[in-house]
Amino acid sequence: MKSLIKWAVENSPAMNTLMAALLILGALGMGSMRREVFPEFDLEIILVSVPYPGASPGEVEEGICQKLEEAVRSLSGIKKQTSVAREGGGFLVLELENYVKNPQKLVNEVRSEVDQVKSRLPENSEDPEIQQLTIREAAIRLGVIAPSTDTIDSELRLRDVAERVRDDLLQLPTVSQVNLVGVKDYQIDVEISEDTLRKYGLSLNDVANIIRRENIELPGGVIKTESQEVLLRGKNKGLTGAEIERIPIVTRTGGVVLTVGDLGVVRDEFTDDVAINEINGRSAVVLSVDRTASEDLLKIVAEVKDYASRAVELGRVPPGYELITWQDRSIDVRDRMMMLLRNGYQGLILVFLVLAVFLDLRLAFWVAIGIPVSVLGAGAYLWLTGETLNMLTM
């Protein structure tokens, strides 16, 4: 150590060059690092969810949860498994061991095991969904406020506007994740009176089974020719009420066909969730703009705010609708950056003045210059090691 200090004292031009290089590299690094609230991390948890519409918790436990538990029980690397059965579906939470270095490999193993028991799940249950839980940090939230939603048509209109705004946000260069928060799922309601059902000898289960049987999309095989292969697919799946209305329910020998629309009323609506979304006393839809691990928080917020201020003028939002932003997470990061900068130059000035008054002016300069060298040197190290500017590193 003494020899190193002696060499540094005797080679002041080299040390000055090293200090200047450190200052330049640190300044470039501080300006190039991504800015975020907290460092990105992945939870070592796998979630397997299976919707089972209309089923009770007991049916879900027996028909889904127990079979999922048996399917993944033999896999190594699972520390704990927790299954939850509720009305309308169930899910299985798998907590991984600390020694698992590649969670995605275990996700694929879980998916393979679940696919093998898919045929043993209840007939009316939907396909299982397997995913590794990932925490997304919300950069900012944007609300689409409607002039009025007294009717279902106005509520559908608000949802259409919100989805159009989401599509616009996804077109911004720095935005890749936008989610609707707390919205109701779309639902197609089919209402047929009891008298009509009795008239044609039908029941609600009969109508539901016919719609389920006819409203499908299935592969039809392949036609091979000498020059090409043609994929066949039977596509008869309706996604709107107008398409569901055309499904035939009753067919007479004389050629008379009665569709769903002939027997009852079909409406495009939402699920019957007890949820009310309001902003400033008016109905609204909330969009959460999330940040991924490779995106800069401050750039995302700046572009979202710029879009919100210009969307009405550009005609992207119909007259009477408003866009409002809140929960801006960049405020904390910007305040921490300003505090770091303010403390840095205040400390530099105070150290320089005190040492200049009581000691030598040259000594005061070189001691005070240690503050920017330390800060920018730390910035250069963080940049070279792939770290970010966040509430912890700052």
Side-chain angles (χ1 to χ4, degrees):
M1 180 61 70
K2 291 183 179 180
S3 60
L4 181 61
I5 296 176
K6 181 180 179 181
W7 181 88
V9 172
E10 293 175 352
N11 296 272
S12 57
M15 298 306 299
N16 292 337
T17 303
L18 179 61
M19 181 187 66
L22 189 63
L23 291 174
I24 295 173
L25 185 62
L28 292 175
M30 297 285 277
S32 302
M33 280 190 293
R34 287 183 292 106
R35 295 158 293 184
E36 57 187 359
V37 180
F38 291 106
E40 190 80 10
F41 67 95
D42 292 331
L43 288 176
E44 305 302 331
I45 293 178
I46 299 175
L47 176 65
V48 183
S49 57
V50 182
Y52 189 3
S56 64
E59 293 174 328
V60 173
E61 179 185 8
E62 182 178 355
I64 294 178
C65 293
Q66 293 180 1
K67 295 176 182 178
L68 293 179
E69 291 175 357
E70 294 175 0
V72 302
R73 185 170 297 162
S74 60
L75 297 178
S76 61
I78 297 178
K79 179 180 179 181
K80 178 183 178 182
Q81 54 176 299
T82 304
S83 60
V84 178
R86 61 182 181 182
E87 185 177 357
F91 55 89
L92 178 65
V93 180
L94 304 176
E95 183 179 346
L96 308 188
E97 296 282 1
N98 296 330
Y99 62 78
V100 177
K101 302 301 181 183
N102 188 3
Q104 190 58 43
K105 179 181 178 181
L106 191 54
V107 171
N108 294 333
E109 293 178 358
V110 171
R111 181 175 289 108
S112 177
E113 295 295 332
V114 172
D115 287 341
Q116 294 182 18
V117 301
K118 187 186 301 184
S119 60
R120 295 164 47 198
L121 297 179
E123 181 180 357
N124 295 333
S125 64
E126 300 181 8
D127 292 337
E129 181 180 358
I130 300 96
Q131 59 181 336
Q132 181 185 1
L133 292 186
T134 302
I135 300 299
R136 296 295 185 192
E137 176 189 352
I140 191 172
R141 292 203 169 185
L142 184 144
V144 182
I145 306 177
S148 173
T149 54
D150 297 334
T151 62
I152 186 63
D153 291 336
S154 59
E155 191 173 354
L156 289 169
R157 174 66 171 165
L158 172 60
R159 180 67 174 272
D160 291 339
V161 173
E163 292 184 353
R164 187 192 312 165
V165 171
R166 180 181 61 181
D167 294 339
D168 290 344
L169 291 175
L170 290 174
Q171 298 301 317
L172 298 177
T174 60
V175 177
S176 62
Q177 296 287 332
V178 182
N179 300 307
L180 301 179
V181 179
V183 295
K184 301 177 182 178
D185 294 330
Y186 284 112
Q187 176 175 284
I188 300 176
D189 291 342
V190 178
E191 296 182 0
I192 302 177
S193 66
E194 183 179 355
D195 293 338
T196 302
L197 292 174
R198 289 180 176 177
K199 179 178 179 181
Y200 295 99
L202 297 171
S203 66
L204 290 177
N205 286 334
D206 295 335
V207 175
N209 291 331
I210 293 173
I211 295 176
R212 187 179 295 111
R213 185 181 67 241
E214 297 292 333
N215 190 43
I216 57 175
E217 182 176 353
L218 295 174
V222 179
I223 297 179
K224 295 183 178 181
T225 64
E226 295 180 356
S227 59
Q228 62 180 349
E229 292 185 358
V230 180
L231 298 178
L232 301 180
R233 192 167 190 84
K235 189 175 182 180
N236 191 42
K237 189 175 183 62
L239 301 177
T240 64
E243 295 172 340
I244 300 297
E245 284 182 343
R246 296 195 291 267
I247 295 178
I249 298 295
V250 178
T251 303
R252 298 296 187 183
T253 55
V256 178
V257 177
L258 299 179
T259 64
V260 177
D262 296 329
L263 299 180
V265 179
V266 182
R267 290 192 297 267
D268 290 308
E269 294 190 354
F270 296 101
T271 55
D272 298 328
D273 296 336
V274 184
I276 299 176
N277 288 336
E278 291 185 350
I279 299 176
N280 297 333
R282 296 166 57 185
S283 297
V285 173
V286 178
L287 289 85
S288 176
V289 182
D290 299 336
R291 187 195 65 84
T292 62
S294 60
E295 296 171 345
D296 187 280
L297 175 64
L298 270 62
K299 292 181 180 179
I300 292 176
V301 171
E303 288 200 347
V304 171
K305 286 187 174 181
D306 180 66
Y307 170 82
S309 63
R310 297 186 299 108
V312 178
E313 300 176 2
L314 297 177
R316 303 304 301 171
V317 177
Y321 288 81
E322 296 181 20
L323 298 182
I324 184 174
T325 59
W326 77 97
Q327 202 170 323
D328 181 359
R329 299 303 304 276
S330 68
I331 296 176
D332 297 333
V333 177
R334 190 177 288 106
D335 289 346
R336 182 63 62 88
M337 293 174 60
M338 295 305 299
M339 182 184 68
L340 184 66
L341 182 63
R342 183 172 59 252
N343 290 349
Y345 75 74
Q346 287 179 354
L348 187 147
I349 294 174
L350 288 175
V351 169
F352 178 78
L353 291 178
V354 171
L355 294 181
V357 171
F358 295 98
L359 296 175
D360 183 63
L361 184 63
R362 183 181 177 184
L363 177 64
F365 170 79
W366 285 111
V367 173
I369 205 69
I371 294 178
V373 170
S374 301
V375 174
L376 295 179
Y381 172 79
L382 293 173
W383 182 40
L384 293 175
T385 55
E387 297 294 334
T388 63
L389 279 179
N390 55 66
M391 302 296 285
L392 302 182
T393 57
M394 287 190 290

